[in-house]
């Protein structure tokens, strides 16, 4: 099983700041099969990024993904108030598929 | 529009069983991989089970293997998760999610709103 470790666990930031979230895999992820989701309280997760770096439909371009192998990142170039949420990475490269434990972005 | 509506969650005693349903609309289940993901209260997401478009490929997380069974009824366009021998640690919101494609190895493009399973005596 591929274990995904996200860091940091919680980030306190202000609107307008730039942030980079990390997702590290315990094994090599081939073909870039890594996705990112955003979840707000009381809501279902929402797909942001798939295939490491492709934005999902209607996701603004301030969100970007990158990485390869075992190290992946999600960057938000300029935080908007609606971006404060929990972010999860997800590998769909091998079974069982797994999620990271999440990174919570909170308003400073 | 793609819509996934889960139901069947309830309060159940340890050792009990439930059948969770996920009614799909706006697409045919027979053309997509489908999955169950759960989230214990206040915690992160856990991948539970998945089935590819034709049912030929099914996989379970180790934590539920032998106790949970995924299936679907194409005539009702509904995905199911039979959950047996429930334990306290199975308490969670259970989401169904649709893959981008017919395959098994896919990200989750659409999610339902979830159904809550509470295991307690």
């Amino acid at each position: 099983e591929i274990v995904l470790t996200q860091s940091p666990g919680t980030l306190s930031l202000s609107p307008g700041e730039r942030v980079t979230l990390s997702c590290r895999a315990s094994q090599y992820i081939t073909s870039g099969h890594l996705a990112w989701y955003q979840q707000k309280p009381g809501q279902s997760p929402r797909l942001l990024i798939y295939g490491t770096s492709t934005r999902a439909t209607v996701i603004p371009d301030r969100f970007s993904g990158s990485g390869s192998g075992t190290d992946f990142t999600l960057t938000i170039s300029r935080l908007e108030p609606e971006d404060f949420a929990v972010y999860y990475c997800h590998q769909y490269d091998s079974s069982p598929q797994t999620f990271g434990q999440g990174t919570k972005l909170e308003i400073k | 529009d793609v819509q996934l509506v889960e139901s069947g969650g309830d309060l159940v005693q340890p050792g009990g069983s439930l059948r969770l349903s996920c009614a799909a609309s706006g697409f045919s289940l027979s053309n997509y991989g489908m999955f169950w993901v759960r989230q214990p209260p206040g915690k992160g997401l856990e991948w539970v089970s998945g089935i590819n478009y034709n049912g030929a490929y099914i996989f379970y997380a180790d934590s539920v293997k032998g106790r949970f069974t995924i299936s679907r009824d194409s005539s009702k366009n509904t995905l199911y998760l039979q959950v047996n021998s429930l334990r306290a640690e199975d308490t969670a919101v259970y989401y169904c999610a649709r893959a981008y494609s017919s395959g098994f190895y896919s990200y989750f493009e659409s999610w339902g709103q979830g159904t809550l399973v509470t295991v307690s005596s």
Side-chain angles (χ1 to χ4, degrees), chain A residues 49-61:
Chain A
I49 301 284
Y50 62 91
T52 298
S53 60
T54 304
R55 276 188 303 277
T57 307
V58 307
I59 300 302
D61 60 7

Side-chain angles (χ1 to χ4, degrees), chain A residues 22-97:
Chain A
S22 172
C23 176
R24 178 161 291 177
S26 62
Q27 301 172 38
Y28 197 88
I29 294 177
T30 61
S31 305
H33 287 172
L34 194 288
W36 291 90
Y37 303 85
Q38 177 194 67
Q39 187 180 33
K40 297 179 180 179
Q43 296 185 16
S44 306
R46 177 174 75 142
L47 176 68
L48 295 176
I49 301 284
Y50 62 91
T52 298
S53 60
T54 304
R55 276 188 303 277
T57 307
V58 307
I59 300 302
D61 60 7
R62 64 180 182 272
F63 291 92
S64 63
S66 65
S68 64
T70 60
D71 290 303
F72 298 85
T73 59
L74 173 70
T75 298
I76 309 173
S77 60
R78 186 177 173 84
L79 281 167
E80 297 288 340
E82 61 267 27
D83 298 337
F84 291 90
V86 181
Y87 292 83
Y88 296 95
C89 56
H90 160 225
Q91 69 81 16
Y92 50 99
D93 191 62
S94 67
S95 294
Q97 298 182 26

Side-chain angles (χ1 to χ4, degrees), chain B residues 4-116:
Chain B
L4 299 168
V5 179
E6 300 95 334
S7 61
D10 204 348
L11 171 63
V12 62
Q13 291 188 342
S17 298
L18 286 172
R19 189 176 78 159
L20 308 182
S21 300
C22 171
S25 58
F27 71 100
S28 172
L29 275 185
S30 302
N31 293 333
Y32 291 88
M34 296 295 298
F35 301 85
W36 288 97
V37 175
R38 68 183 181 182
Q39 185 170 38
K43 296 190 177 180
L45 302 171
E46 181 187 11
W47 187 91
V48 172
S49 181
I51 182 170
N52 76 329
Y53 77 104
N54 64 2
Y57 198 78
I58 291 175
F59 207 92
Y60 299 96
D62 285 346
S63 58
V64 306
K65 201 174 295 182
R67 300 188 298 123
F68 290 13
T69 303
I70 190 172
S71 64
R72 64 171 179 228
D73 184 334
S74 297
S75 66
K76 295 182 179 178
N77 215 33
T78 299
L79 178 74
Y80 299 103
L81 187 68
Q82 178 68 38
V83 297
N84 298 331
S85 303
L86 282 164
R87 307 165 181 168
E89 55 265 34
D90 295 319
T91 294
V93 173
Y94 285 72
Y95 295 102
C96 71
R98 194 196 83 170
Y100 168 71
S101 67
S102 60
F104 186 83
Y105 294 100
S106 173
Y107 52 90
F108 305 145
E109 191 175 50
S110 301
W111 296 68
Q113 86 291 346
T115 187
L116 177 62

